Amino acid sequence: MLGGYNTHPFWQLYGNLSVMSLVIEHIIVHSLFGDEQGRVQLATREQELSANPAVQQLMAELHHIYNTKAGKVFGYFNEEETGFRDLVRRMQDQSLTFAGFSHLAAERLLAELNRLEMSEQGVLLFVRYQWLGADYLLIALLDNKDSVTVTEKLEVSQASYLDLGKMQLAARLDLTELQTRSESRRYFSFIKGRAGRKVSDFFLNFLSCVEGMDPKAQSQGLLKAVDEYCEARQLSGEEKLASKAQVHKYCREQLNQGEELELRELSAELGTDDDLDFYQFVSEEYQLEDKFPVERSALKGLTKFVGSGGGLTISFEQKLLGERIQYDAATDTLTIKGVPPNLKSQLVGK
């Protein structure tokens, strides 16, 4: 049973737009559960769900949560193991119904779980949908939680709901990119949830997928490119801070909207130089994708200096260096003027 699902504060602003823009083509759910012997079993639904208003809202929220989830990994089909890709092809050429595709895919996932003696359980959702002109296949394993609620008659009753914010595992295949850019190394994306590194043991095998583009490496490369671009333009310290702040602002906005960074857009945000355009600069010197998701944790490197070691952690705004904070490289000494009040009170108390 699907039960209800958690809603989030974003819904009032985001939900109506999502329902209008997101078109569900096929959707079905199955269940992975443990038997008395501790092995995972599969219960399948025969018919697809109808895309009623409740299902539309569920999918709009799932889509938003997936888009804004940090730490996604990207990949592409493994040429040596084509099991899942063959299922996708059969679904696309309609030699398999969507329900039939989901049954075979669910059985494939179950086999991987049992082969590795893993006990992942929950509601297994398969959905094919369109969003802003792109065609997606989303597969998610969702927690089905039991709780209590107060009814309209003020009776306390048991209730079941989907905990969407804690997806255990989810993967999305961009069918449009697969069709138009089959050489891409990022038409698959997935999140790992509590399964952590074990995802490589069974989820990638289930998807016939290997890891491709690394968003963390791309984000670190972006920070290096911004630093060296500012140096190449011989910007003053103040101009450099302003440029980094502009990059930080753009990246934050993209993250909050669930969108990826686009180098051409970022270049336009930074403005153009008669001799040196940011997009041209990174195209010549760096191996950055034209479009990639920024790692939120990397953004602080644009505006802050951060370091830790030996029991010491220091973080401060880059603009403070040379003003309230001085660094003497000869003595390897950092001098801070104006200690934060909450830190000062702790120091004085000692």
Side-chain angles (χ1 to χ4, degrees):
M1 177 177 179
L2 273 176
Y5 54 91
N6 278 355
T7 55
H8 294 268
F10 86 90
W11 183 254
Q12 292 179 346
L13 294 176
Y14 183 85
N16 291 337
L17 176 60
S18 296
V19 171
M20 290 187 293
S21 303
L22 190 150
V23 179
I24 298 173
E25 295 183 344
H26 305 278
I27 183 168
I28 195 169
V29 292
H30 308 303
S31 177
L32 291 172
F33 62 94
D35 63 16
E36 294 179 354
Q37 286 72 43
R39 286 177 63 84
V40 179
Q41 300 293 335
L42 172 67
T44 58
R45 177 187 171 94
E46 294 304 314
Q47 301 297 322
E48 295 181 25
L49 294 168
S50 61
N52 59 40
V55 170
Q56 290 277 357
Q57 291 188 358
L58 168 66
M59 264 311 301
E61 187 166 355
L62 266 177
H63 173 78
H64 177 79
I65 291 171
Y66 189 89
N67 275 5
T68 55
K69 198 81 169 180
K72 284 196 287 288
V73 180
F74 289 76
Y76 57 101
F77 278 124
N78 184 346
E79 294 181 1
E80 298 178 0
E81 206 294 305
T82 62
F84 186 79
R85 183 167 194 168
D86 289 341
L87 291 180
V88 171
R89 284 173 175 158
R90 292 175 63 190
M91 174 196 68
Q92 289 183 294
D93 67 19
Q94 298 183 348
S95 61
L96 261 183
T97 65
F98 188 78
F101 158 77
S102 73
H103 292 161
L104 292 176
E107 289 168 5
R108 180 182 169 84
L109 177 57
L110 176 67
E112 282 295 322
L113 288 171
N114 285 329
R115 182 178 69 85
L116 297 169
E117 299 183 341
M118 297 185 67
S119 58
E120 294 298 317
Q121 301 175 32
V123 174
L124 183 58
L125 177 144
F126 290 82
V127 58
R128 183 172 180 175
Y129 69 100
Q130 292 184 359
W131 167 259
L132 301 180
D135 194 12
Y136 296 105
L137 172 67
L138 176 68
I139 303 171
L141 184 59
L142 308 172
D143 274 334
N144 202 23
K145 297 290 188 181
D146 292 324
S147 184
V148 294
T149 187
V150 176
T151 68
E152 292 180 358
K153 295 181 179 180
L154 301 182
E155 296 287 344
V156 176
S157 174
Q158 287 188 326
S160 183
Y161 70 94
L162 291 177
D163 194 355
L164 301 186
K166 296 182 180 179
M167 279 187 278
Q168 297 175 40
L169 291 165
R172 186 170 68 184
L173 173 59
D174 187 332
L175 295 167
T176 300
E177 181 161 356
L178 174 62
Q179 183 176 3
T180 59
R181 295 183 62 233
S182 59
E183 77 284 358
S184 169
R185 295 169 64 88
R186 50 156 296 164
Y187 45 74
F188 253 121
S189 65
F190 53 90
I191 59 175
K192 294 177 288 189
R194 71 172 184 228
R197 292 300 304 171
K198 286 186 178 180
V199 69
S200 61
D201 293 333
F202 75 98
F203 210 52
L204 287 177
N205 291 338
F206 156 61
L207 297 169
S208 303
C209 181
V210 291
E211 290 191 29
M213 186 195 72
D214 183 348
K216 185 174 182 179
Q218 290 284 302
S219 298
Q220 291 171 344
L222 173 69
L223 266 60
K224 184 173 185 291
V226 171
D227 259 333
E228 296 184 0
Y229 176 67
C230 291
E231 292 296 331
R233 292 184 63 188
Q234 298 182 331
L235 300 182
S236 67
E238 187 174 330
E239 290 171 331
K240 186 175 181 179
L241 288 174
S243 293
K244 286 187 171 184
Q246 187 66 32
V247 175
H248 185 270
K249 178 175 179 289
Y250 169 79
C251 291
R252 296 263 317 178
E253 288 174 350
Q254 295 299 100
L255 274 171
N256 291 338
Q257 294 171 15
E259 300 291 341
E260 298 184 359
L261 174 149
E262 295 192 32
L263 286 178
R264 289 186 185 276
E265 283 187 359
L266 178 57
S267 184
E269 291 281 336
L270 284 172
T272 57
D273 185 289
D274 290 341
D275 300 316
L276 196 59
D277 172 86
F278 181 70
Y279 183 78
Q280 294 175 332
F281 180 79
V282 296
S283 297
E284 295 169 2
E285 303 290 336
Y286 301 87
Q287 295 181 333
L288 292 179
E289 299 276 343
D290 278 358
K291 184 177 179 181
F292 61 89
V294 179
E295 286 284 298
R296 191 179 297 273
S297 59
L299 290 183
K300 57 187 175 185
L302 289 166
T303 59
K304 293 184 177 182
F305 290 118
V306 181
S308 62
L312 182 68
T313 298
I314 297 175
S315 173
F316 60 90
E317 296 288 338
Q318 293 182 9
K319 63 184 179 182
L320 298 180
L321 187 64
E323 297 179 2
R324 286 175 53 194
I325 299 176
Q326 305 291 333
Y327 177 63
D328 186 335
T331 60
D332 194 24
T333 302
L334 200 66
T335 304
I336 303 173
K337 294 181 180 179
V339 176
N342 57 349
L343 176 59
K344 183 177 180 179
S345 64
Q346 297 174 60
L347 298 172
V348 171
K350 295 297 182 182

